[in-house]
Amino acid sequence: MNIEDLTPSERRLWEAFPKGESVDLSSGDPAYDDTAQAERWGRERWVRAEVLVALLVGAVAPQPGEVAAVRLTGARVIGSLNLGHAEVSVPLALTGCSFDEAPHLYWASMNSVHMMRCRLPGLIASGTRVDGHLWLEGSRITGGLWLDGANITGILNMSGVQLSNPGGDALLADRLSVEANVYCDQGFAASGEVRLPGARVGGQLIFRGARLHNPSGAALYASRLDVAANVFCDGGFSAEGEVRLRGARVGGYLSFVGARLSAPGKTALNADDLAVETDVYCSDAFTAIGAVSFAGARVTGQLSLRGAHLRNEEGTALSVQRLQAEELLMRTAEPIRGIADLSYARISLLRDDAASWPERLQLDGLQYETLEPPLTARERLDWLRRDTDGYAPQPYERLALAYRALGLDSDGRFVLLAKARDRRATQSLPRKIVGWLQDVLVGYGYRPFRAASWLVGLLVFGTVVFTLDNPPVLNSDDSPHFNAFFYTLDLILPIGDLGQERVFAPKGVHQWIANFIVIAGLILGLTVAAGASRALSRE
């Protein structure tokens, strides 16, 4: 490039480059210097993109002892800044600049790149390697920011960035690799899909206060995302459209504290098969309109829904199916509006609140070690009976086991009795009749001492019957004294001999009554013995 062809502004930049000095073309009037006014800027602020390219690829040698750099403020860049496949060894720092065309940095090897408070009709940096930071703070980019396959050894700073590509990809960052933190906070906003599938972040990923808008699809698509530290989607974070974190891995904790997600009739938050090394916080006024799913997720610590608002009335509002977590905190701000699916989840501690129970649950296969609070068996049965799938034995057995682990054997038996009664409602009429008799007589074996009252009644019945009609003596040579009470008791007792049963022999209908008393006494006696054994020996 012939230096004689340069404009005064370009000559200033050309001469400043060898020492890395800054060139400021702004007017000093903040309103006029706003990049939205770039079309009104005079030619004195124009810089051709080809001049920038020439400087970046070595048209001018650095001054000995200095660090050469392109540092430009307040310019309107004319033409295409095309650095595709280029080797750039000097920093590029543009502040408050406006581009007429989208810069092309695809597969370039760059030093640190700063484009702060700039306006760009797109930025294509697919496959780019940046040895240092990529700093886009406060910039406005329309038409899409492409960082797919890019590799950044420092920080990616998109704080305050405004991305606009409605119906398309606002940020295309598939397989992006950043070795330090990624900042999408302090007013970051995107209209269009923000894509981070398969991306790898060596530090923290920060979407604090970000606003994402793509109601027709995914607002944030980050399946298989790998973040070494924490992920922050809090501090006023909002997303209109689905947030997809399926199969993502978070090395620290994941925070959606106070976030608002909206995807009516869809999955507002899809965190299926997510892996988090510490805790997940969807709490403190977290709101989701649409389903929230952690199906198959693994959370080493706590999954907190404390103070959350979950709404998906027509379907599943919360799915933690097959979740593995140390603790699940389900004390939501209000009852979950929709189905809460806890089936086949494995949780050490389940903490909930009866006041926030959803109307509809799915609990089959749910495994937990401790309930907090345990509540009474009668209250917990109301919880079990909210299962939309109807009767299933496992939830009753799991609850009874939890009560026995706490030493509350009577509550455990009450739950198992309720299990038998609820099962009866699903059976055929003959089985219902048999079950009803078992319930009335011995409470399906879980009320064994009810049999003792039946034994007393049987004793009274026999005493009255045989008092009114003494059975004849079996051997006419004997003349024993008959006692109706002890005779009946002798019939009832399966072992032992009171000297009455072997001497007297009733006839006719009284023989049938005696046989009935013997059989009933045997059954009821064994039931009482089994109940006493369970009461005296705790499992």
Side-chain angles (χ1 to χ4, degrees):
M1 174 172 285
N2 190 342
I3 193 172
E4 302 299 328
D5 296 333
L6 299 178
T7 67
S9 298
E10 293 170 347
R11 187 183 292 272
R12 286 179 57 191
L13 181 62
W14 194 275
E15 293 173 349
F17 171 79
K19 294 183 179 181
E21 295 176 344
S22 298
V23 174
D24 189 350
L25 302 181
S26 59
S27 67
D29 181 353
Y32 182 65
D33 289 335
D34 190 324
T35 53
Q37 305 295 323
E39 291 186 358
R40 298 173 53 198
W41 295 350
R43 287 183 173 271
E44 71 279 2
R45 298 181 65 169
W46 291 11
V47 174
R48 288 172 293 166
E50 61 185 285
V51 175
L52 299 178
V53 171
L55 292 172
L56 291 170
V57 297
V60 178
Q63 182 169 315
E66 303 288 347
V67 177
V70 172
R71 304 185 190 278
L72 179 63
T73 300
R76 178 178 174 181
V77 180
I78 308 298
S80 175
L81 180 64
N82 191 337
L83 291 167
H85 300 281
E87 293 281 343
V88 178
S89 60
V90 296
L92 171 63
L94 304 175
T95 304
C97 294
S98 177
F99 288 77
D100 285 0
E101 299 181 30
H104 289 71
L105 310 181
Y106 54 87
W107 294 104
S109 179
M110 307 285 295
N111 202 294
S112 61
V113 177
H114 287 203
M115 295 184 180
M116 299 174 60
R117 301 191 304 280
C118 293
R119 180 179 293 270
L120 306 97
L123 175 59
I124 301 172
S126 302
T128 301
R129 176 179 177 83
V130 179
D131 289 318
H133 305 319
L134 176 56
W135 215 272
L136 303 174
E137 183 176 357
S139 293
R140 298 188 177 187
I141 304 174
T142 58
L145 169 58
W146 293 7
L147 295 173
D148 51 309
N151 189 325
I152 301 168
T153 63
I155 292 171
L156 172 57
N157 188 344
M158 293 188 286
S159 297
V161 169
Q162 308 286 303
L163 301 176
S164 181
N165 192 23
D169 297 328
L171 171 62
L172 178 64
D174 302 31
R175 304 176 308 283
L176 168 70
S177 177
V178 180
E179 295 185 17
N181 295 340
V182 175
Y183 296 93
C184 300
D185 58 349
Q186 297 180 18
F188 176 91
S191 178
E193 185 171 323
V194 173
R195 294 181 53 88
L196 290 165
R200 186 184 64 83
V201 179
Q204 300 186 121
L205 175 59
I206 304 171
F207 276 98
R208 183 162 284 159
R211 293 173 289 111
L212 310 182
H213 181 83
N214 191 36
S216 62
L220 174 60
Y221 178 40
S223 297
R224 306 180 312 282
L225 171 70
D226 188 346
V227 180
N230 306 316
V231 176
F232 299 95
C233 297
D234 51 16
F237 175 88
S238 67
E240 293 186 47
E242 301 177 62
V243 174
R244 301 176 185 171
L245 298 174
R246 183 164 189 168
R249 191 194 75 83
V250 179
Y253 61 85
L254 171 60
S255 175
F256 278 96
V257 171
R260 181 177 178 84
L261 312 182
S262 179
K266 301 178 183 178
T267 303
L269 174 58
N270 184 341
D272 294 354
D273 302 316
L274 172 74
V276 178
E277 292 301 319
T278 55
D279 303 319
V280 178
Y281 301 103
C282 296
S283 57
D284 302 302
F286 169 82
T287 300
I289 301 174
V292 172
S293 180
F294 285 92
R298 292 178 292 107
V299 180
T300 303
Q302 178 191 82
L303 170 55
S304 175
L305 298 166
R306 183 188 62 193
H309 301 265
L310 306 180
R311 304 170 189 169
N312 191 32
E313 289 87 346
E314 301 303 318
T316 299
L318 172 66
S319 174
V320 291
Q321 187 183 56
R322 298 178 289 103
L323 168 74
Q324 297 181 47
E326 185 66 24
E327 179 180 342
L328 175 59
L329 178 54
M330 285 188 64
R331 295 176 180 172
T332 53
E334 60 183 1
I336 295 172
R337 300 184 188 179
I339 298 171
D341 185 356
L342 282 73
S343 58
Y344 301 99
R346 299 180 64 183
I347 302 160
S348 296
L349 173 60
L350 175 57
R351 299 171 63 191
D352 61 3
D353 184 351
S356 63
W357 286 346
E359 288 295 325
R360 296 174 289 167
L361 284 162
Q362 290 181 340
L363 300 171
D364 191 23
L366 171 63
Q367 298 283 341
Y368 49 86
E369 295 180 11
T370 307
L371 290 169
E372 185 183 312
L375 302 178
T376 66
R378 193 176 302 276
E379 290 172 308
R380 280 291 172 188
L381 283 172
D382 175 49
W383 179 60
L384 292 187
R385 287 167 179 159
R386 295 172 183 237
D387 198 319
T388 59
D389 292 333
Y391 171 80
Q394 189 274 341
Y396 294 86
E397 293 166 1
R398 180 67 254 177
L399 181 58
L401 185 61
Y403 278 126
R404 288 200 294 269
L406 293 172
L408 303 173
D409 290 345
S410 61
D411 285 289
R413 289 194 298 273
F414 187 88
V415 170
L416 294 175
L417 174 58
K419 169 196 166 188
R421 288 172 173 169
D422 290 349
R423 179 173 179 267
R424 186 174 71 212
T426 68
Q427 295 177 324
S428 62
L429 182 59
R431 288 182 176 272
K432 285 182 179 179
I433 294 172
V434 173
W436 180 81
L437 289 173
Q438 289 179 308
D439 193 0
V440 170
L441 291 174
V442 293
Y444 283 100
Y446 300 110
R447 292 288 184 266
F449 294 106
R450 182 181 295 176
S453 63
W454 286 103
L455 280 173
V456 172
L458 194 63
L459 182 60
V460 171
F461 170 71
T463 300
V464 171
V465 168
F466 293 117
T467 296
L468 296 176
D469 189 357
N470 295 168
V473 177
L474 185 62
N475 188 348
S476 59
D477 295 334
D478 295 335
S479 56
H481 174 71
F482 178 76
N483 186 302
F485 174 80
F486 285 107
Y487 177 73
T488 305
L489 187 58
D490 210 357
L491 292 173
I492 291 173
L493 292 174
I495 58 174
D497 185 2
L498 300 178
Q500 294 282 312
E501 182 182 2
R502 59 186 171 83
V503 175
F504 298 95
K507 296 180 180 180
V509 68
H510 292 89
Q511 178 66 53
W512 287 100
I513 292 174
N515 292 339
F516 168 74
I517 291 175
V518 170
I519 295 171
L522 176 63
I523 295 172
L524 294 173
L526 291 175
T527 302
V528 171
S533 176
R534 283 196 296 266
L536 293 174
S537 62
R538 294 183 180 272
E539 295 181 1

